[in-house]
Amino acid sequence: MEILYLLVAVLAIILMTTKLKIHAFLALFIISICYGIFAGMPYGEIILSINEGFGGTLGKIGLIIVLGVIIGAFLENTGGAYAIAEKVLKIIGRKRVPTAMGVIGYIVSIPVFADSGFMLLHPLNKSLSKKAKISIAGPAIALGLGLMASHTMVPPTPGPIAAAGILGADLGLVIAFGFPISIIALTIGILFANKYASKTYIEPDVDNASTTEAEIKDRPSALKSSIPILVPIILIVLKSVLNPTKTGLDNGFVAFINFVGEPVISLLIGIFLCLFLPKKLNYDMLSSSGWVGKAIQDAASIILITGAGGIFGKILQNSGIADILGQTLTEYNMGIFLPFVLAAALKTAQGSSTVALVTTASIIMPMMPSLGFDSEIQKALVVVVIGAGSAVVSHANDSFFWVVTQMSGMNVKTGYRLFSLGSGVLGVTGAIAVFIFYSIFA
């Protein structure tokens, strides 16, 4: 009976967020309480689960999400993200436009939201396609898949951070596995864009292609812009590598690395480095109405959804369904593909990759021991495979689908044939790569 309640709960979340347009935070919160009541949990335990689920989850990752979004805001508003894009373009070559746009999208989406990243880079994409005399379809799909690859599988983007926090995964290991796996997935995605999507001709409209470049002529250099991204990532990975419990090392240097490599501290360092990006630092940028204020507003929705996901997971854990469901699913022997299938189903049904990541992690979290995902490496790979599932598939219920298709001049049918299919290729390739890594390392 508990499994039936869970299925009804998931369907209710999908219905409330898609058909009724209710915010995912409210949907998750309300359904969590309803599930606890119908599952027969004592009222006091439901309240305790709400407090522990929300507080425990955001206590780990709330600040990390806010700090990561602030870094992204500085890179976007100073033109730093665009400077990185131009540098990658020079390295790869302007003739290989789809490949270049895929790589640029991948890098830019680590600090910047995918929707914003596409709008930021679209003028460059149109201009390059026009100069190369090629269809904009290939570069646009490559750019969209590049943005999606890092958005779903590589911290410090909010979705993977949220999933890692819910599952208690080591963020350094998630980064260490997320990078190669997402790059493998993107490589196949770019191949898809080059060999398939580019055959559909769509004329690049370049009326406003130079607007973005003109607006951010005072942008910082690519090297300077990349430092606030690279330094926190390096520190987080170093903390994971030099962890005293793993290495046996215990001295002042290791203690210092473990301090600055804590995600909250490393991202705070990243924000400090961002202060050197504007040509002239205006303290209004740090105000409640400036870049920081806007970034915190953007982060609020993600934080609330993540906290509500923590409540859902805690109620599932305390209701006892985790053990029942874990034993049932173990019999099917789906292994690492189970989180992928669940995330893909949720993504396809309701559209948001972040909601798919948070909800899947919340459902899987109490079942981790019974499914055999006990080690730190296994937990990290579960986060990445959930991320891969949250890319499958982007279609009409996903705002990013409309950003990619409408800005690139695609009709809905073409968008399904190119971008929806491409997101499926990206996610499935990522899942296969996770399976290979799981077979070797876990």
Side-chain angles (χ1 to χ4, degrees), residues 8-73:
V8 171
V10 172
L11 288 173
I13 291 168
I14 293 167
L15 175 67
M16 291 172 75
T17 54
T18 56
K19 297 294 183 184
L20 303 180
K21 307 298 181 186
I22 295 172
H23 195 283
F25 163 71
L26 276 178
L28 281 164
F29 189 24
I30 292 166
I31 294 302
S32 297
I33 294 171
C34 291
Y35 177 86
I37 292 169
F38 280 101
M41 291 176 66
Y43 296 131
E45 194 171 357
I46 292 174
I47 297 299
L48 186 64
S49 298
I50 291 170
N51 293 334
E52 289 181 352
F54 192 83
T57 301
L58 294 187
K60 298 174 189 172
I61 57 168
L63 278 173
I64 298 172
I65 292 172
V66 173
L67 298 175
V69 172
I70 291 173
I71 291 173

Short mmCIF file of all heavy atoms in Angstrom, two decimals, residues 8-73:
data_model
loop_
_atom_site.label_atom_id
_atom_site.label_comp_id
_atom_site.label_asym_id
_atom_site.label_seq_id
_atom_site.Cartn_x
_atom_site.Cartn_y
_atom_site.Cartn_z
N VAL A 8 1.22 7.65 -6.23
CA VAL A 8 0.21 8.72 -6.25
C VAL A 8 0.86 10.07 -5.89
O VAL A 8 0.56 11.10 -6.51
CB VAL A 8 -0.95 8.41 -5.26
CG1 VAL A 8 -1.87 9.61 -5.11
CG2 VAL A 8 -1.72 7.19 -5.73
N ALA A 9 1.79 10.05 -4.92
CA ALA A 9 2.48 11.28 -4.50
C ALA A 9 3.29 11.87 -5.65
O ALA A 9 3.24 13.08 -5.91
CB ALA A 9 3.39 10.99 -3.30
N VAL A 10 4.04 11.01 -6.36
CA VAL A 10 4.86 11.48 -7.48
C VAL A 10 3.97 12.04 -8.59
O VAL A 10 4.25 13.10 -9.16
CB VAL A 10 5.77 10.34 -8.01
CG1 VAL A 10 6.47 10.78 -9.30
CG2 VAL A 10 6.80 9.95 -6.96
N LEU A 11 2.90 11.33 -8.90
CA LEU A 11 1.96 11.80 -9.94
C LEU A 11 1.32 13.13 -9.53
O LEU A 11 1.11 14.01 -10.36
CB LEU A 11 0.87 10.74 -10.18
CG LEU A 11 1.32 9.47 -10.91
CD1 LEU A 11 0.19 8.44 -10.93
CD2 LEU A 11 1.76 9.79 -12.34
N ALA A 12 1.02 13.26 -8.24
CA ALA A 12 0.42 14.51 -7.73
C ALA A 12 1.40 15.68 -7.87
O ALA A 12 1.01 16.79 -8.23
CB ALA A 12 0.00 14.34 -6.28
N ILE A 13 2.70 15.42 -7.59
CA ILE A 13 3.73 16.47 -7.75
C ILE A 13 3.80 16.91 -9.21
O ILE A 13 3.84 18.11 -9.51
CB ILE A 13 5.11 15.95 -7.27
CG1 ILE A 13 5.11 15.77 -5.74
CG2 ILE A 13 6.23 16.92 -7.69
CD1 ILE A 13 6.30 15.00 -5.22
N ILE A 14 3.78 15.93 -10.12
CA ILE A 14 3.83 16.23 -11.55
C ILE A 14 2.59 17.04 -11.98
O ILE A 14 2.71 18.05 -12.68
CB ILE A 14 3.95 14.93 -12.38
CG1 ILE A 14 5.30 14.26 -12.12
CG2 ILE A 14 3.77 15.21 -13.87
CD1 ILE A 14 5.39 12.84 -12.62
N LEU A 15 1.41 16.60 -11.53
CA LEU A 15 0.16 17.28 -11.88
C LEU A 15 0.14 18.72 -11.35
O LEU A 15 -0.22 19.66 -12.07
CB LEU A 15 -1.03 16.50 -11.31
CG LEU A 15 -2.41 17.14 -11.50
CD1 LEU A 15 -2.79 17.16 -12.98
CD2 LEU A 15 -3.47 16.39 -10.70
N MET A 16 0.54 18.89 -10.10
CA MET A 16 0.51 20.22 -9.48
C MET A 16 1.47 21.19 -10.14
O MET A 16 1.16 22.38 -10.30
CB MET A 16 0.80 20.10 -7.99
CG MET A 16 -0.30 19.41 -7.19
SD MET A 16 0.15 19.08 -5.47
CE MET A 16 0.04 20.71 -4.76
N THR A 17 2.67 20.69 -10.53
CA THR A 17 3.68 21.60 -11.11
C THR A 17 3.45 21.87 -12.59
O THR A 17 3.86 22.91 -13.09
CB THR A 17 5.09 21.03 -10.90
OG1 THR A 17 5.16 19.69 -11.42
CG2 THR A 17 5.48 21.03 -9.44
N THR A 18 2.81 20.93 -13.31
CA THR A 18 2.64 21.11 -14.76
C THR A 18 1.25 21.63 -15.12
O THR A 18 1.13 22.68 -15.76
CB THR A 18 2.90 19.79 -15.51
OG1 THR A 18 2.05 18.76 -14.98
CG2 THR A 18 4.34 19.36 -15.38
N LYS A 19 0.23 20.95 -14.70
CA LYS A 19 -1.14 21.32 -15.08
C LYS A 19 -1.66 22.51 -14.26
O LYS A 19 -2.24 23.45 -14.80
CB LYS A 19 -2.09 20.13 -14.91
CG LYS A 19 -1.77 18.94 -15.82
CD LYS A 19 -1.99 19.28 -17.28
CE LYS A 19 -1.75 18.05 -18.17
NZ LYS A 19 -1.86 18.40 -19.60
N LEU A 20 -1.44 22.45 -12.95
CA LEU A 20 -1.97 23.50 -12.08
C LEU A 20 -1.00 24.67 -11.90
O LEU A 20 -1.35 25.68 -11.29
CB LEU A 20 -2.32 22.91 -10.70
CG LEU A 20 -3.32 21.74 -10.72
CD1 LEU A 20 -3.59 21.24 -9.31
CD2 LEU A 20 -4.63 22.17 -11.40
N LYS A 21 0.24 24.50 -12.41
CA LYS A 21 1.25 25.57 -12.35
C LYS A 21 1.58 26.02 -10.93
O LYS A 21 1.94 27.17 -10.68
CB LYS A 21 0.81 26.79 -13.19
CG LYS A 21 0.42 26.49 -14.62
CD LYS A 21 1.57 25.92 -15.42
CE LYS A 21 1.17 25.64 -16.86
NZ LYS A 21 2.23 24.96 -17.63
N ILE A 22 1.46 25.10 -9.98
CA ILE A 22 1.80 25.40 -8.59
C ILE A 22 3.32 25.32 -8.43
O ILE A 22 3.96 24.43 -9.00
CB ILE A 22 1.11 24.43 -7.62
CG1 ILE A 22 -0.41 24.64 -7.70
CG2 ILE A 22 1.59 24.60 -6.19
CD1 ILE A 22 -1.22 23.61 -6.93
N HIS A 23 3.91 26.23 -7.68
CA HIS A 23 5.35 26.25 -7.47
C HIS A 23 5.82 24.90 -6.89
O HIS A 23 5.15 24.33 -6.02
CB HIS A 23 5.73 27.38 -6.52
CG HIS A 23 7.19 27.71 -6.51
ND1 HIS A 23 8.13 26.93 -5.86
CD2 HIS A 23 7.88 28.71 -7.11
CE1 HIS A 23 9.32 27.46 -6.04
NE2 HIS A 23 9.20 28.54 -6.79
N ALA A 24 6.96 24.43 -7.37
CA ALA A 24 7.46 23.11 -6.95
C ALA A 24 7.68 23.03 -5.44
O ALA A 24 7.51 21.96 -4.85
CB ALA A 24 8.76 22.79 -7.68
N PHE A 25 8.05 24.15 -4.80
CA PHE A 25 8.23 24.14 -3.35
C PHE A 25 6.93 23.77 -2.63
O PHE A 25 6.90 22.89 -1.78
CB PHE A 25 8.73 25.51 -2.87
CG PHE A 25 8.55 25.73 -1.39
CD1 PHE A 25 9.34 25.04 -0.47
CD2 PHE A 25 7.59 26.60 -0.90
CE1 PHE A 25 9.17 25.22 0.89
CE2 PHE A 25 7.42 26.80 0.46
CZ PHE A 25 8.21 26.11 1.35
N LEU A 26 5.85 24.46 -3.00
CA LEU A 26 4.56 24.18 -2.37
C LEU A 26 4.08 22.77 -2.68
O LEU A 26 3.55 22.07 -1.82
CB LEU A 26 3.51 25.20 -2.84
CG LEU A 26 3.46 26.54 -2.12
CD1 LEU A 26 2.40 27.43 -2.75
CD2 LEU A 26 3.21 26.36 -0.63
N ALA A 27 4.27 22.34 -3.94
CA ALA A 27 3.84 21.00 -4.35
C ALA A 27 4.53 19.93 -3.51
O ALA A 27 3.89 19.03 -2.96
CB ALA A 27 4.11 20.79 -5.83
N LEU A 28 5.86 20.02 -3.40
CA LEU A 28 6.62 19.04 -2.62
C LEU A 28 6.25 19.09 -1.14
O LEU A 28 6.11 18.04 -0.49
CB LEU A 28 8.12 19.31 -2.79
CG LEU A 28 8.77 18.80 -4.08
CD1 LEU A 28 10.14 19.46 -4.29
CD2 LEU A 28 8.94 17.28 -4.05
N PHE A 29 6.09 20.29 -0.61
CA PHE A 29 5.79 20.46 0.81
C PHE A 29 4.42 19.87 1.15
O PHE A 29 4.27 19.08 2.09
CB PHE A 29 5.84 21.96 1.14
CG PHE A 29 5.76 22.27 2.61
CD1 PHE A 29 6.15 21.34 3.58
CD2 PHE A 29 5.32 23.51 3.04
CE1 PHE A 29 6.09 21.63 4.93
CE2 PHE A 29 5.25 23.83 4.39
CZ PHE A 29 5.63 22.87 5.34
N ILE A 30 3.41 20.23 0.36
CA ILE A 30 2.04 19.75 0.62
C ILE A 30 1.94 18.24 0.46
O ILE A 30 1.36 17.54 1.31
CB ILE A 30 1.03 20.46 -0.32
CG1 ILE A 30 0.94 21.94 0.04
CG2 ILE A 30 -0.34 19.81 -0.25
CD1 ILE A 30 0.24 22.79 -1.01
N ILE A 31 2.54 17.72 -0.63
CA ILE A 31 2.48 16.27 -0.88
C ILE A 31 3.23 15.50 0.20
O ILE A 31 2.82 14.39 0.58
CB ILE A 31 3.04 15.94 -2.29
CG1 ILE A 31 2.14 16.54 -3.37
CG2 ILE A 31 3.17 14.44 -2.48
CD1 ILE A 31 0.70 16.08 -3.32
N SER A 32 4.33 16.06 0.69
CA SER A 32 5.08 15.39 1.77
C SER A 32 4.20 15.19 3.00
O SER A 32 4.16 14.10 3.59
CB SER A 32 6.32 16.22 2.15
OG SER A 32 7.20 16.34 1.08
N ILE A 33 3.48 16.25 3.40
CA ILE A 33 2.61 16.17 4.57
C ILE A 33 1.47 15.18 4.32
O ILE A 33 1.17 14.32 5.18
CB ILE A 33 2.04 17.56 4.92
CG1 ILE A 33 3.18 18.49 5.35
CG2 ILE A 33 0.99 17.46 6.02
CD1 ILE A 33 2.76 19.94 5.51
N CYS A 34 0.87 15.27 3.13
CA CYS A 34 -0.24 14.35 2.80
C CYS A 34 0.23 12.90 2.79
O CYS A 34 -0.46 12.00 3.29
CB CYS A 34 -0.84 14.70 1.44
SG CYS A 34 -1.73 16.27 1.43
N TYR A 35 1.42 12.68 2.24
CA TYR A 35 1.94 11.30 2.21
C TYR A 35 2.12 10.78 3.64
O TYR A 35 1.75 9.63 3.95
CB TYR A 35 3.27 11.24 1.46
CG TYR A 35 3.85 9.84 1.48
CD1 TYR A 35 3.48 8.90 0.54
CD2 TYR A 35 4.74 9.45 2.49
CE1 TYR A 35 3.97 7.61 0.59
CE2 TYR A 35 5.24 8.17 2.54
CZ TYR A 35 4.84 7.24 1.59
OH TYR A 35 5.31 5.96 1.64
N GLY A 36 2.71 11.61 4.51
CA GLY A 36 2.93 11.19 5.89
C GLY A 36 1.63 10.82 6.59
O GLY A 36 1.56 9.83 7.32
N ILE A 37 0.58 11.61 6.35
CA ILE A 37 -0.73 11.35 6.98
C ILE A 37 -1.31 10.03 6.46
O ILE A 37 -1.76 9.17 7.24
CB ILE A 37 -1.70 12.51 6.72
CG1 ILE A 37 -1.23 13.77 7.47
CG2 ILE A 37 -3.13 12.15 7.14
CD1 ILE A 37 -1.97 15.04 7.08
N PHE A 38 -1.32 9.86 5.11
CA PHE A 38 -1.91 8.65 4.53
C PHE A 38 -1.08 7.40 4.87
O PHE A 38 -1.64 6.29 4.93
CB PHE A 38 -2.04 8.79 3.01
CG PHE A 38 -3.23 9.59 2.59
CD1 PHE A 38 -3.09 10.92 2.21
CD2 PHE A 38 -4.51 9.04 2.59
CE1 PHE A 38 -4.19 11.68 1.83
CE2 PHE A 38 -5.61 9.78 2.22
CZ PHE A 38 -5.47 11.10 1.83
N ALA A 39 0.22 7.57 5.07
CA ALA A 39 1.07 6.42 5.42
C ALA A 39 0.93 6.04 6.89
O ALA A 39 1.53 5.06 7.34
CB ALA A 39 2.53 6.74 5.10
N GLY A 40 0.15 6.80 7.63
CA GLY A 40 -0.11 6.46 9.03
C GLY A 40 0.96 6.91 10.00
O GLY A 40 1.03 6.39 11.12
N MET A 41 1.79 7.88 9.62
CA MET A 41 2.83 8.37 10.53
C MET A 41 2.18 9.18 11.65
O MET A 41 1.21 9.92 11.40
CB MET A 41 3.83 9.26 9.78
CG MET A 41 4.72 8.54 8.80
SD MET A 41 5.79 9.68 7.87
CE MET A 41 6.84 10.32 9.19
N PRO A 42 2.69 9.08 12.88
CA PRO A 42 2.18 9.93 13.97
C PRO A 42 2.40 11.41 13.61
O PRO A 42 3.40 11.77 12.99
CB PRO A 42 3.04 9.51 15.17
CG PRO A 42 3.56 8.16 14.82
CD PRO A 42 3.72 8.15 13.33
N TYR A 43 1.47 12.27 14.01
CA TYR A 43 1.55 13.69 13.65
C TYR A 43 2.86 14.33 14.14
O TYR A 43 3.47 15.15 13.44
CB TYR A 43 0.35 14.45 14.24
CG TYR A 43 -0.97 14.00 13.66
CD1 TYR A 43 -2.05 13.69 14.50
CD2 TYR A 43 -1.15 13.85 12.29
CE1 TYR A 43 -3.27 13.26 13.98
CE2 TYR A 43 -2.35 13.43 11.76
CZ TYR A 43 -3.41 13.13 12.61
OH TYR A 43 -4.61 12.70 12.08
N GLY A 44 3.27 13.95 15.34
CA GLY A 44 4.51 14.49 15.89
C GLY A 44 5.71 14.12 15.04
O GLY A 44 6.64 14.93 14.86
N GLU A 45 5.70 12.91 14.50
CA GLU A 45 6.82 12.46 13.67
C GLU A 45 6.83 13.18 12.32
O GLU A 45 7.89 13.43 11.75
CB GLU A 45 6.73 10.94 13.46
CG GLU A 45 8.01 10.35 12.89
CD GLU A 45 8.01 8.83 12.90
OE1 GLU A 45 7.04 8.23 13.39
OE2 GLU A 45 8.98 8.25 12.39
N ILE A 46 5.65 13.51 11.81
CA ILE A 46 5.57 14.28 10.57
C ILE A 46 6.21 15.65 10.76
O ILE A 46 7.02 16.10 9.93
CB ILE A 46 4.10 14.43 10.10
CG1 ILE A 46 3.53 13.08 9.68
CG2 ILE A 46 4.01 15.42 8.93
CD1 ILE A 46 2.05 13.11 9.34
N ILE A 47 5.86 16.31 11.87
CA ILE A 47 6.43 17.64 12.17
C ILE A 47 7.94 17.54 12.33
O ILE A 47 8.70 18.37 11.81
CB ILE A 47 5.80 18.25 13.45
CG1 ILE A 47 4.29 18.47 13.24
CG2 ILE A 47 6.49 19.55 13.83
CD1 ILE A 47 3.95 19.43 12.12
N LEU A 48 8.40 16.52 13.04
CA LEU A 48 9.84 16.32 13.25
C LEU A 48 10.54 16.09 11.92
O LEU A 48 11.63 16.63 11.67
CB LEU A 48 10.07 15.12 14.18
CG LEU A 48 11.52 14.85 14.60
CD1 LEU A 48 12.06 16.00 15.43
CD2 LEU A 48 11.61 13.53 15.37
N SER A 49 9.92 15.31 11.03
CA SER A 49 10.50 15.05 9.71
C SER A 49 10.59 16.32 8.88
O SER A 49 11.56 16.52 8.14
CB SER A 49 9.65 14.00 8.96
OG SER A 49 9.62 12.77 9.64
N ILE A 50 9.58 17.18 8.99
CA ILE A 50 9.60 18.46 8.26
C ILE A 50 10.79 19.30 8.73
O ILE A 50 11.56 19.81 7.92
CB ILE A 50 8.28 19.23 8.47
CG1 ILE A 50 7.13 18.51 7.76
CG2 ILE A 50 8.40 20.67 7.96
CD1 ILE A 50 5.76 19.06 8.11
N ASN A 51 10.93 19.44 10.04
CA ASN A 51 12.01 20.26 10.58
C ASN A 51 13.38 19.70 10.27
O ASN A 51 14.29 20.42 9.85
CB ASN A 51 11.85 20.42 12.10
CG ASN A 51 10.61 21.22 12.47
OD1 ASN A 51 10.15 22.04 11.68
ND2 ASN A 51 10.06 20.96 13.65
N GLU A 52 13.53 18.38 10.45
CA GLU A 52 14.83 17.75 10.20
C GLU A 52 15.15 17.71 8.70
O GLU A 52 16.30 17.94 8.31
CB GLU A 52 14.84 16.32 10.77
CG GLU A 52 14.87 16.28 12.28
CD GLU A 52 14.92 14.85 12.80
OE1 GLU A 52 14.76 13.90 11.97
OE2 GLU A 52 15.11 14.67 14.01
N GLY A 53 14.14 17.43 7.89
CA GLY A 53 14.37 17.35 6.45
C GLY A 53 14.76 18.68 5.85
O GLY A 53 15.73 18.78 5.09
N PHE A 54 14.02 19.73 6.20
CA PHE A 54 14.30 21.07 5.66
C PHE A 54 15.62 21.63 6.22
O PHE A 54 16.50 22.02 5.48
CB PHE A 54 13.14 22.00 5.99
CG PHE A 54 13.19 23.31 5.24
CD1 PHE A 54 12.71 23.41 3.94
CD2 PHE A 54 13.71 24.45 5.84
CE1 PHE A 54 12.75 24.61 3.25
CE2 PHE A 54 13.76 25.66 5.16
CZ PHE A 54 13.27 25.74 3.86
N GLY A 55 15.72 21.61 7.55
CA GLY A 55 16.91 22.18 8.19
C GLY A 55 18.16 21.39 7.90
O GLY A 55 19.22 21.97 7.62
N GLY A 56 18.05 20.07 7.94
CA GLY A 56 19.22 19.23 7.70
C GLY A 56 19.76 19.37 6.29
O GLY A 56 20.97 19.43 6.07
N THR A 57 18.86 19.45 5.31
CA THR A 57 19.29 19.57 3.91
C THR A 57 19.91 20.93 3.65
O THR A 57 21.01 21.03 3.10
CB THR A 57 18.08 19.36 2.96
OG1 THR A 57 17.54 18.06 3.20
CG2 THR A 57 18.52 19.45 1.51
N LEU A 58 19.21 22.00 4.03
CA LEU A 58 19.72 23.35 3.74
C LEU A 58 20.90 23.71 4.63
O LEU A 58 21.71 24.57 4.25
CB LEU A 58 18.60 24.38 3.89
CG LEU A 58 17.46 24.25 2.87
CD1 LEU A 58 16.50 25.42 3.00
CD2 LEU A 58 18.01 24.17 1.45
N GLY A 59 21.02 23.05 5.77
CA GLY A 59 22.18 23.27 6.61
C GLY A 59 23.46 22.86 5.91
O GLY A 59 24.53 23.43 6.13
N LYS A 60 23.34 21.88 5.00
CA LYS A 60 24.51 21.40 4.25
C LYS A 60 24.77 22.23 3.00
O LYS A 60 25.91 22.48 2.63
CB LYS A 60 24.30 19.94 3.84
CG LYS A 60 24.15 18.96 4.99
CD LYS A 60 23.79 17.58 4.44
CE LYS A 60 23.42 16.61 5.54
NZ LYS A 60 22.89 15.34 5.00
N ILE A 61 23.71 22.62 2.29
CA ILE A 61 23.92 23.16 0.94
C ILE A 61 23.27 24.50 0.65
O ILE A 61 23.50 25.07 -0.42
CB ILE A 61 23.41 22.15 -0.11
CG1 ILE A 61 21.94 21.84 0.15
CG2 ILE A 61 24.25 20.91 -0.15
CD1 ILE A 61 21.28 21.09 -0.97
N GLY A 62 22.48 25.05 1.58
CA GLY A 62 21.81 26.32 1.32
C GLY A 62 22.78 27.43 0.95
O GLY A 62 22.62 28.13 -0.06
N LEU A 63 23.82 27.61 1.77
CA LEU A 63 24.81 28.65 1.51
C LEU A 63 25.59 28.39 0.23
O LEU A 63 25.94 29.32 -0.50
CB LEU A 63 25.79 28.75 2.69
CG LEU A 63 25.32 29.57 3.89
CD1 LEU A 63 26.30 29.42 5.03
CD2 LEU A 63 25.15 31.03 3.53
N ILE A 64 25.86 27.12 -0.05
CA ILE A 64 26.63 26.77 -1.25
C ILE A 64 25.88 27.22 -2.51
O ILE A 64 26.47 27.79 -3.44
CB ILE A 64 26.89 25.25 -1.31
CG1 ILE A 64 27.73 24.81 -0.10
CG2 ILE A 64 27.59 24.86 -2.60
CD1 ILE A 64 27.88 23.32 0.03
N ILE A 65 24.57 26.99 -2.53
CA ILE A 65 23.77 27.40 -3.69
C ILE A 65 23.80 28.91 -3.85
O ILE A 65 24.03 29.43 -4.96
CB ILE A 65 22.31 26.90 -3.53
CG1 ILE A 65 22.27 25.36 -3.62
CG2 ILE A 65 21.41 27.51 -4.60
CD1 ILE A 65 20.92 24.76 -3.29
N VAL A 66 23.61 29.65 -2.76
CA VAL A 66 23.62 31.11 -2.83
C VAL A 66 24.96 31.63 -3.34
O VAL A 66 25.02 32.48 -4.25
CB VAL A 66 23.31 31.73 -1.44
CG1 VAL A 66 23.50 33.24 -1.48
CG2 VAL A 66 21.90 31.40 -1.02
N LEU A 67 26.05 31.13 -2.78
CA LEU A 67 27.39 31.60 -3.16
C LEU A 67 27.69 31.29 -4.63
O LEU A 67 28.26 32.13 -5.34
CB LEU A 67 28.45 30.97 -2.25
CG LEU A 67 28.34 31.32 -0.76
CD1 LEU A 67 29.37 30.54 0.05
CD2 LEU A 67 28.53 32.82 -0.53
N GLY A 68 27.30 30.10 -5.08
CA GLY A 68 27.52 29.74 -6.47
C GLY A 68 26.76 30.63 -7.43
O GLY A 68 27.29 31.03 -8.49
N VAL A 69 25.53 30.99 -7.08
CA VAL A 69 24.71 31.86 -7.93
C VAL A 69 25.29 33.27 -7.98
O VAL A 69 25.27 33.93 -9.02
CB VAL A 69 23.25 31.87 -7.44
CG1 VAL A 69 22.43 32.92 -8.18
CG2 VAL A 69 22.61 30.50 -7.63
N ILE A 70 25.85 33.75 -6.88
CA ILE A 70 26.46 35.09 -6.85
C ILE A 70 27.68 35.13 -7.78
O ILE A 70 27.87 36.11 -8.53
CB ILE A 70 26.86 35.49 -5.41
CG1 ILE A 70 25.61 35.72 -4.56
CG2 ILE A 70 27.73 36.74 -5.41
CD1 ILE A 70 25.89 35.94 -3.09
N ILE A 71 28.51 34.08 -7.76
CA ILE A 71 29.65 34.01 -8.68
C ILE A 71 29.16 34.08 -10.13
O ILE A 71 29.71 34.81 -10.97
CB ILE A 71 30.47 32.72 -8.44
CG1 ILE A 71 31.19 32.80 -7.09
CG2 ILE A 71 31.50 32.51 -9.57
CD1 ILE A 71 31.88 31.51 -6.68
N GLY A 72 28.11 33.33 -10.43
CA GLY A 72 27.55 33.34 -11.77
C GLY A 72 27.06 34.72 -12.18
O GLY A 72 27.23 35.14 -13.33
N ALA A 73 26.46 35.44 -11.23
CA ALA A 73 25.95 36.79 -11.52
C ALA A 73 27.08 37.73 -11.91
O ALA A 73 26.95 38.53 -12.85
CB ALA A 73 25.20 37.33 -10.30
#
